[in-house]
């Protein structure tokens, strides 16, 4: 398997630290429904301690950095093994990108001149990052700065070695959108057109939603977007985009299920007040919680 290619972005194993974030545009919010399997999983999780929903005992968290790194290495090796065993990644004829559960991407639909190695050399992988390095949400920029420090450290350790033995450094090109999706758009354009990055990472719901059409049309990975907006989980229409955290509407279902489980302790009824931000971020939580209430026998 050839790694570090656009057509097998999962093998890159980028581990950016994720945070919840929104934007200034209210468009694109997805109405939530409560899937039966989601509800069952939520109830299992809320009722579990050391036993996972599948009946297996969950592993204890490592307590040292060395133990975390050992676990990371084991899990990465297991993922690479699954990819190789199942023939995932770029098909032998180069026509498709293949993944689990029937995931397929037609690479013939990528634009003329597209390259699955753009932004990649024998020694470097360039990744573009947009986020709030300033402005009212400027504290979120510390996540980007932390990610840069982590990559710098592991670059020096020679950690990013692919299955063919090539050691590459990850170069993060960070741009400040001040949490404003109107600024995210030209910054993403700069990073993909001028800097020719291998992949993009966007921080905030609206900024991610405003750029995922172009990135998917251009077949540029938008990896681990730093948002839990449910609209980003769209492998059919936006297969080049992945989120990085629990979907906001699923999080809202967790809230509802918790309240429902403890309703008797609350005297048999409860009032819920919501302060909802008027953007994609807030709308996802609001619609998810309302969808839970709509099907709850305790509504």
């Amino acid at each position: 398997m050839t790694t570090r290619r656009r057509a097998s972005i999962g093998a890159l194993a980028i581990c950016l630290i994720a945070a919840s974030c929104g934007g200034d545009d209210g468009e694109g919010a997805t109405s939530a429904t409560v899937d039966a399997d989601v509800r069952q999983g939520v109830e299992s999780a809320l009722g579990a301690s050391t036993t996972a929903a599948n009946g297996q005992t969950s592993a204890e968290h490592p307590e040292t950095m060395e133990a975390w790194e050992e676990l990371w290495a084991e899990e990465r090796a297991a993922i690479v093994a699954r990819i190789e065993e199942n023939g995932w990644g770029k098909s032998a004829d180069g026509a498709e990108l293949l993944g689990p559960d029937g995931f397929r991407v037609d690479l013939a639909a990528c634009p003329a001149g597209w390259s699955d190695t753009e932004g990649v050399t024998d020694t470097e992988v360039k990744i573009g990052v947009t986020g709030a390095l300033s402005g009212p949400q400027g504290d979120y920029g510390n996540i980007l700065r932390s990610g840069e420090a982590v990559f710098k450290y592991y670059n020096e350790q020679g950690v990013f070695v692919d299955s063919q033995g090539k050691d590459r450094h990850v170069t993060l090109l960070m741009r400040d959108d001040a949490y404003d999706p109107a600024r995210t758009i030209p910054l993403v354009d700069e990073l993909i057109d001028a800097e020719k990055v291998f992949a993009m990472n966007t921080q905030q719901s609206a900024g991610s939603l405003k750029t995922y059409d172009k990135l998917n049309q251009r077949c540029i990975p938008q990896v681990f977007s730093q948002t839990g907006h449910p609209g980003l989980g769209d492998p059919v229409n936006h297969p080049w985009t992945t989120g990085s955290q629990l979907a906001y509407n699923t999080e809202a279902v967790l809230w509802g299920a918790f309240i429902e489980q403890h309703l008797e302790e609350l005297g048999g009824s409860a009032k819920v007040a919501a302060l909802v931000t008027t953007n994609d971020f807030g709308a996802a939580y609001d619609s998810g919680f309302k969808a839970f209430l709509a099907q709850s026998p305790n509504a």
Side-chain angles (χ1 to χ4, degrees):
M1 179 184 67
T2 301
T3 57
R4 305 305 191 206
R5 288 192 166 194
R6 268 201 179 137
S8 53
I9 59 174
L12 186 57
I14 305 165
C15 295
L16 291 173
I17 303 168
S20 63
C21 37
D24 298 322
D25 195 321
E27 297 177 5
T30 300
S31 297
T33 57
V34 181
D35 183 270
D37 291 334
V38 171
R39 184 184 175 91
Q40 182 180 359
V42 165
E43 291 173 347
S44 298
L46 289 172
S49 53
T50 58
T51 303
N54 58 8
Q56 297 178 344
T57 301
S58 58
E60 293 185 3
H61 286 175
E63 296 183 356
T64 66
M65 197 63 203
E66 290 76 13
W68 276 110
E69 289 171 346
E70 182 179 346
L71 177 61
W72 172 81
E74 291 174 359
E75 292 183 343
R76 180 186 186 276
I79 291 170
V80 171
R82 285 189 67 201
I83 291 171
E84 293 176 338
E85 289 167 7
N86 289 280
W88 296 334
K90 197 173 184 180
S91 61
D93 61 5
E96 288 184 306
L97 171 60
L98 308 174
D101 298 321
F103 178 82
R104 291 176 180 270
V105 179
D106 180 10
L107 298 180
C110 294
W114 174 79
S115 170
D116 59 9
T117 57
E118 185 166 274
V120 179
T121 68
D122 285 342
T123 59
E124 180 187 40
V125 179
K126 291 202 298 185
I127 300 173
V129 184
T130 60
L133 297 173
S134 65
Q137 298 292 338
D139 279 351
Y140 280 128
N142 290 322
I143 298 164
L144 306 187
R145 296 182 183 97
S146 298
E148 185 178 41
V150 168
F151 277 118
K152 182 177 184 295
Y153 173 79
Y154 285 113
N155 280 338
E156 293 171 353
Q157 301 300 312
V159 166
F160 302 113
V161 179
D162 71 14
S163 61
Q164 297 177 333
K166 289 186 177 180
D167 177 10
R168 296 182 174 88
H169 284 197
V170 175
T171 300
L172 293 185
L173 301 176
M174 297 194 301
R175 298 293 185 268
D176 180 16
D177 66 13
Y179 204 70
D180 179 358
R183 293 177 60 174
T184 309
I185 297 168
L187 291 174
V188 168
D189 288 344
E190 175 200 342
L191 289 165
I192 63 177
D193 292 330
E195 298 292 348
K196 306 291 185 182
V197 296
F198 170 77
M200 277 299 312
N201 176 263
T202 49
Q203 180 192 57
Q204 62 159 296
S205 297
S208 299
L209 291 167
K210 289 293 187 183
T211 55
Y212 78 159
D213 282 337
K214 176 179 287 187
L215 291 170
N216 278 264
Q217 290 162 4
R218 296 272 294 271
C219 297
I220 297 173
Q222 186 180 19
V223 290
F224 301 130
S225 304
Q226 296 183 45
T227 165
H229 194 283
L232 296 175
D234 181 13
V236 175
N237 300 304
H238 297 90
W240 296 91
T241 297
T242 62
S244 61
Q245 63 196 74
L246 187 67
Y248 298 145
N249 56 340
T250 302
E251 213 174 326
V253 171
L254 278 165
W255 303 342
F258 181 85
I259 294 170
E260 201 167 59
Q261 279 192 0
H262 295 271
L263 202 58
E264 290 305 313
E265 299 170 34
L266 299 171
S269 64
K271 286 184 178 181
V272 177
L275 299 176
V276 182
T277 56
T278 55
N279 57 22
D280 299 298
F281 176 54
Y285 281 114
D286 188 48
S287 61
F289 193 76
K290 287 176 177 176
F292 179 87
L293 291 179
Q295 55 78 61
S296 171
N298 300 301

